[in-house]
Amino acid sequence: MQTEPAARETLALLEKLGIEYRYYGHEPARTMADCEGIGADVGAEHFKNLFLSDRRRSVFVLLLLSPEKEFRTGEISRQLGTARLSFCTPEELMEKLGLLPGSVTPLALSRESAREVVVAIDRDILNMETVCAHPCTSNASVAIPREGLFRFLAHCGNEIRYVEAK
């Protein structure tokens, strides 16, 4: 499979930051079920990536949620101190993260248009040693150490908040 330009840019940034990764080209994986097994050979775990906003469209949040948990808008909104959050439109996803539905990833936060997006991380993700994420396209994944993900997030400079999802 050929690597898309968005994925090449993401991989180049991972390399520039000295973040080791294992690349997996695959058929489009847009759901958690589609991602099953990808990265299993290195013990990588997946998490849900939900792109959210408040009603006024003044606060945008990328929620990284453990795979077995459900998004409960009231619970997460309260913890973040925001008005009730709901899913963004495909147009907002493209405008802020430059992504299509099914390819949402924290690796898109390096884009200038994503600077004001708040990253909300379910604390259970801190227990994952190796994580798997799309490199800005749904037909590939990268397995990276958890520390590498946090080094990437620090490079991007977005506000990071932690939540306790149930």
Side-chain angles (χ1 to χ4, degrees), residues 10-11 14 21-24 44 107 131-135 140-144:
T10 303
L11 299 176
L14 290 173
Y21 65 87
R22 178 130 186 206
Y23 178 85
Y24 299 88
L107 300 180
V131 298
C132 222
H134 289 314
S141 296
V142 290
I144 59 176

Side-chain angles (χ1 to χ4, degrees), residues 111-140:
R111 296 184 167 144
E112 188 63 37
S113 56
R115 294 288 181 247
E116 294 180 16
V117 174
V118 174
V119 183
I121 303 173
D122 180 14
R123 288 192 184 278
D124 282 352
I125 291 172
L126 299 174
N127 297 322
M128 297 178 177
E129 292 297 319
T130 304
V131 298
C132 222
H134 289 314
C136 299
T137 181
S138 66
N139 66 357

